[in-house]
Amino acid sequence: MILDALLTEALRSHLPKIVEPIELVASLDNSPTSAKITELLGELDVLSADINVRFDGSAERRPSFRITRVTDPHASVTFGGVPLGHEFTSLVLALLQVGGHPSTADADLLDQIRGIEGTHRFETFFSLSCQNCPDVVQALNLMSIINPNIEHVALDGGAFQDEVAAREVMAVPTVFRNGEKFGQGRMTLEELVAMIDSRSSDRAVEKIAAMDPFDVLIVGGGPAGSSAAVYAARKGLRTAIVAERFGGQLLDTMGIENLISTPYTEGPKLAAELEDNVRNHQVEIITAQRAERIDPAPRIGGLHTLTLESGAALQARSLIISTGARWRRMGVPGEAEYANRGVAYCPHCDGPLYKGKRTAVIGGGNSGVEAAIDLAGIVKHVTLLEFGDELRADEVLQNKLRSLSNVTIVTSAMTTEVLGDDKKVTALTYRSRADETDHQVDLDGIFVQIGLLPNTEWLDGTVQLSEHNEIMIDGHGATSVPGVFAAGDCTTVPFKQIVVSMGAGSTAMLSVFDHLIRTPQDTNVSA
Ligand code: FAD
């Protein structure tokens, strides 16, 4: 049995939602992956009378299988390899949506997808351990199902290693359109539609520009912003949340074991739950938009203006900034040039692409050492480089790392350059701070794990920042500007954690409420 009891149960509960018969057609070869596809399709066949399975497919790319609506062959998606692991949900959704079960995506967005013209043949390379991949796979699958101009093949990179090498796929997800590289990394349905449909950005700007002022505008949709939004809605405030990507760092987080209500969850799952909960409250959610500037209210009680990079502007009586943080870059020559061509930041996502290869991890804190331990189980060899004289990770992690035979630890090492052959990374160089000697490590992949930077550049000169560019806040989450509050990883809060950010979001929002009821609204001015 390829499907364990849990997966079989999940399918049993979902497959009755199929309303139109579907056909699964496999194109196989003699590989072990083909045997697994045969097993998987056989098990799906017996789980639903609406599923018919055939093994006589004529697709060029093998092993793969195509899911098609019997009454409308345009409604189809193709998987190359076995979409289990993180892609199991994509498989279930594909079965249901090809089978006529409606998507829960925004109705306007679905209409927009139906209206996309031209020919768009998408191929997405994913890995079964990549948390960022399902969003992309599911978004393109949905497009392929509802618009006959769009086709999508989702490929497990692990099952198509030769193609991965030939097409220079160095990170997942990587998307090709009509044979050309189209995008890399996590992309939401909205973002993908915006990339395909050039008119969508103008429509979004028009929609935002027509919005009336809010009581509170939250910038950032991670744990801090979500928590603030729920508190605001429960206080009856007219609320909007603007986020480049709803979920923030949760989208890059594998296992979470310190969320107090549950022993274990995963970042993308928590992010989806937060978004659902916020959507279930009266909150205007504006995603795929980056904040560019704040113009604080000229008078107490007036309106603050938030300008977005798209050119649209929003106004509100109060603001909460919760723009979080991002991976810190090394800032050495070659890093930007080879990003996603050997330089990676998410070991959970991209680690499997380096199976049997030589890699380095930069950074000897908890995340670097965890990444090195994780990679050591997949790759041929890991060199861990730490700038300081000793590792900074917890003792238990260091002990585990030192017990691994395929790991070399180098301390007092300052990475100086990423080298490559124009196509991909081939080596890195570092200078030993102990004896000033230069060294080269030949390798295929570099995982950078040297901490986080607050997303506050766009605020320069508006609210007071610390020497580390974190927003200075008091115990109420208040910034140096009246009516502007902040919460989470972008602030001077000493601990950057999910529950800390959630608590900070609620603190900031309760402070906003306090501020609003004590501050008479200036009705004479618009800004
Ligand atoms: P973020 O989660 O960073 O969210 C920021 C939001 O702001 C996002 O929506 C982003 O798109 C948006 N944004 C940023 N700039 C702009 C802009 N200019 N305009 C509009 N929107 C913008 N914590 C734990 O407690 N447990 C763990 O196990 C754990 N594991 C982690 C693993 C990894 C790999 C990482 C990276 C972090 C982990 N953390 C963990 C830390 C935790 O994820 C963060 O502390 C938490 O997400 C911070 O929440 P936040 O809302 O402040 O910011």
Side-chain angles (χ1 to χ4, degrees), residues 204-323:
V205 169
E206 274 169 34
K207 194 173 161 195
I208 294 168
M211 289 177 184
D212 289 333
F214 293 92
D215 291 324
V216 59
L217 187 53
I218 300 159
V219 192
S226 306
S227 162
V230 170
Y231 266 70
R234 286 169 56 81
K235 288 284 186 196
L237 298 176
R238 193 174 135 68
T239 308
I241 187 164
V242 179
E244 194 180 6
R245 289 174 166 206
F246 206 103
Q249 290 167 68
L250 299 181
L251 301 176
D252 303 319
T253 304
M254 182 74 168
I256 300 169
E257 298 183 356
N258 56 3
L259 195 66
I260 313 308
S261 57
T262 178
Y264 179 84
T265 188
E266 294 186 349
K269 180 168 183 277
L270 178 59
E273 286 165 354
L274 289 177
E275 185 168 352
D276 274 357
N277 197 21
V278 172
R279 278 193 195 282
N280 286 335
H281 288 79
Q282 291 284 305
V283 175
E284 182 76 55
I285 299 180
I286 303 164
T287 54
Q289 292 283 336
R290 267 182 75 81
E292 185 183 65
R293 192 179 78 241
I294 288 174
D295 291 306
R299 275 176 288 273
I300 300 280
L303 294 173
H304 306 279
T305 303
L306 177 77
T307 304
L308 307 177
E309 278 186 6
S310 61
L314 290 154
Q315 291 193 311
R317 292 173 64 201
S318 62
L319 297 175
I320 292 183
I321 305 165
S322 53
T323 44

Side-chain angles (χ1 to χ4, degrees), residues 105-117:
D106 179 75
D108 288 348
L109 192 61
L110 291 172
D111 278 347
Q112 200 179 331
I113 295 168
R114 287 189 190 97
I116 291 174
E117 294 172 355

